[in-house]
């Protein structure tokens, strides 16, 4: 198996497109193991002027993952809520509802967000991405011997995602 870490933000249109590209080509690469890494593209504590914030959405994603629910379905639901429905994915009730819609326990998500259960994990995820893995834009795809970084204002192209998978899944 070829492990590929995918760093994404829940309110990033380039991440939404990057995930769609990945999902389109992934069936052709059964040796690919995807590890989803939700992070804040613009951490609230570092960029308080940048909105929308998504620190609660990242925490909800971590809770959904811990429940064993479908992470991709949750990301897609949040993208739909944010981009199509124009509702805030930084509200606890919205996040809990979206989690419930994809099969996660909405009450657990709501309780975890209210008490900050995943806040430290969110900061650790950001540090892992930005300090250890040197992610500078999302989405970013990192495998053991290859990497695909987003280009600011563009993201990643489908042919780039496919080329990365072809390289690491030889």
């Amino acid at each position: 198996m070829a492990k590929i870490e995918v760093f994404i933000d829940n309110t990033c249109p380039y991440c939404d497109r990057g995930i769609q590209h990945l999902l389109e080509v992934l069936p052709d690469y059964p040796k690919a193991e995807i590890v989803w890494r939700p992070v804040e593209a613009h951490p609230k504590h570092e960029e308080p002027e940048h909105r929308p914030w998504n620190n609660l959405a990242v925490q909800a994603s971590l809770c959904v993952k811990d429940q064993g629910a479908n992470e991709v379905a949750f990301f897609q639901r949040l993208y739909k809520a944010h981009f199509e429905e124009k509702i805030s994915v930084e509200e606890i009730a919205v996040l809990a509802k979206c989690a419930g819609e994809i099969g996660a326990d909405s009450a657990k998500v709501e309780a975890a967000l209210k008490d900050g259960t995943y806040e430290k994990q969110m900061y650790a995820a950001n540090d892992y991405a930005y300090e250890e893995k040197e992610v500078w834009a999302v989405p970013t795809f990192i495998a053991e011997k290859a990497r695909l970084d987003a280009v600011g204002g563009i993201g990643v192209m489908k042919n780039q995602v496919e080329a990365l998978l072809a390289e690491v899944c030889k």
Side-chain angles (χ1 to χ4, degrees), residues 143-170:
E144 184 178 326
K145 296 180 181 179
R147 175 183 185 117
L148 173 58
D149 290 294
V151 173
I154 296 173
V156 296
M157 307 314 272
K158 184 176 178 179
N159 64 335
Q160 293 175 303
V161 173
E162 188 161 27
L164 175 80
L165 288 172
E167 181 177 341
V168 301
C169 295
K170 293 178 189 173

Side-chain angles (χ1 to χ4, degrees), residues 95-112:
L95 292 165
K97 181 178 183 285
C98 289
E101 289 174 4
I102 60 93
D105 184 329
S106 59
K108 284 184 181 178
V109 171
E110 184 172 348

